[in-house]
Amino acid sequence: MAPKMFEVSFKENYAILSMKCGENRLNPKFLEDFHCALDKIERNKDVQFLITTGDGKFYSNGIDLEFLGTCTAEEKLKTINAFPLAILRLLTFPVPTIAALNGHAFAGGGILALAHDYRVMRTKRGWFCLPEVDLHLQFGKANLLLLRAKIKDPKILSDAVLMGKRFVAEEALSGGIIQKVCSAEQLLDTAVQMGKEAVEEKKFKRDFFKEFKTNLYSDIVDAFQRQISNTEESLKVISDFSLSSKL
């Protein structure tokens, strides 16, 4: 039996979604199973916040460029459209979300982390990096709106987006990309504490909370929805990929 790509565990009033697929590269199968895991979490009405994390040295290394280099045009289009759907799902998820960055969060993996409400990163291993400039790959309007919303410091935004800088945990913290830094051994405990501090004694009315987030990020949500419905734009994104590049 093939190992599971995701493991969902329920603890007290929260859920942990662990990505267990090596580099956690984003391809149709990965994204399909990711949505299934989120479905399972949403069905549990006791969940008051969600933590996502990776396994080993990677949180996520972004879009699966190797897959895109060998798949059909239809599969490429499916991948390019499935990614913004996952970002939208997290951005408007009906409970607070925390990304526990156990390792590298590169390119699409970094954007995935930024779609969460909060982020904590372990020390001594892993970079946060948006290397699209080195891949000659445009972000697209929706991703840029998300980056501007989540990275407030103009210099850090320039370093991250224009220069493709690799941030260690302490640099990501001082730049406001993440909210906490801790050791690997404390990563999940720190993420849990962040969730508990955010939630306190609240009991979220999920439909309202989802709508509240959608309104908060309305320009980003609209941009992602336009991108998904615009086949020409999606095909342009595909043509921009430098498939010979590897993160």
Side-chain angles (χ1 to χ4, degrees):
M1 181 182 294
K4 288 185 177 181
M5 299 176 79
F6 297 94
E7 179 181 289
V8 174
S9 55
F10 297 107
K11 312 278 188 179
E12 300 175 35
N13 65 335
Y14 61 92
I16 300 175
L17 194 167
S18 299
M19 303 178 286
K20 294 179 172 290
C21 193
E23 295 185 17
N24 294 319
R25 293 275 186 173
L26 309 172
N27 56 46
K29 176 60 176 170
F30 182 95
L31 292 166
E32 179 182 351
D33 287 359
F34 184 71
H35 280 290
C36 288
L38 292 178
D39 289 341
K40 181 177 181 180
I41 291 164
E42 282 202 61
R43 285 194 296 269
N44 188 330
K45 299 306 180 184
D46 293 328
V47 171
Q48 287 292 289
F49 62 92
L50 164 65
I51 296 167
T52 72
T53 193
D55 188 36
K57 62 188 290 187
F58 296 97
Y59 177 77
S60 172
N61 232 6
I63 296 289
D64 191 338
L65 298 180
E66 184 176 346
F67 170 81
L68 286 182
T70 58
C71 70
T72 66
E74 182 179 354
E75 288 172 322
K76 288 179 184 178
L77 184 60
K78 183 176 180 181
T79 303
I80 296 304
N81 281 339
F83 178 58
L85 283 171
I87 298 302
L88 273 178
R89 183 89 184 266
L90 279 174
L91 191 65
T92 62
F93 203 69
V95 297
T97 55
I98 302 102
L101 306 183
N102 57 291
H104 300 309
F106 263 64
I111 293 172
L112 192 73
L114 290 174
H116 292 66
D117 299 313
Y118 305 101
R119 286 158 294 286
V120 55
M121 188 172 177
R122 62 164 290 184
T123 59
K124 297 182 180 179
R125 174 180 285 182
W127 291 299
F128 177 94
C129 182
L130 303 169
E132 277 76 359
V133 65
D134 298 318
L135 298 171
H136 304 133
L137 173 63
Q138 295 291 343
F139 279 103
K141 183 176 180 179
N143 284 330
L144 287 174
L145 287 172
L146 177 65
L147 294 174
R148 290 178 198 154
K150 297 290 186 168
I151 305 176
K152 298 294 189 180
D153 185 309
K155 181 184 184 303
I156 301 303
L157 183 64
S158 294
D159 286 347
V161 176
L162 299 181
M163 300 295 107
K165 175 182 170 69
R166 296 184 177 193
F167 293 84
V168 298
E170 290 74 14
E171 292 171 325
L173 177 66
S174 64
I177 297 171
I178 62 175
Q179 287 75 45
K180 284 188 180 292
V181 166
C182 64
S183 68
E185 295 76 17
Q186 296 174 320
L187 184 66
L188 284 180
D189 286 343
T190 302
V192 169
Q193 187 61 34
M194 291 172 73
K196 289 184 175 181
E197 289 175 357
V199 170
E200 295 180 333
E201 300 301 320
K202 295 181 178 68
K203 187 73 174 178
F204 290 100
K205 185 177 179 182
R206 290 187 176 186
D207 290 345
F208 172 83
F209 196 61
K210 180 180 179 67
E211 182 182 7
F212 203 84
K213 282 188 176 181
T214 301
N215 290 335
L216 176 62
Y217 298 116
S218 59
D219 56 338
I220 304 172
V221 171
D222 289 346
F224 273 121
Q225 289 175 338
R226 285 195 300 271
Q227 177 183 322
I228 293 165
S229 62
N230 188 336
T231 302
E232 287 187 6
E233 184 173 345
S234 295
L235 291 173
K236 174 65 166 59
V237 171
I238 291 171
S239 69
D240 283 343
F241 269 101
S242 176
L243 299 176
S244 61
S245 299
K246 185 170 178 61
L247 300 181

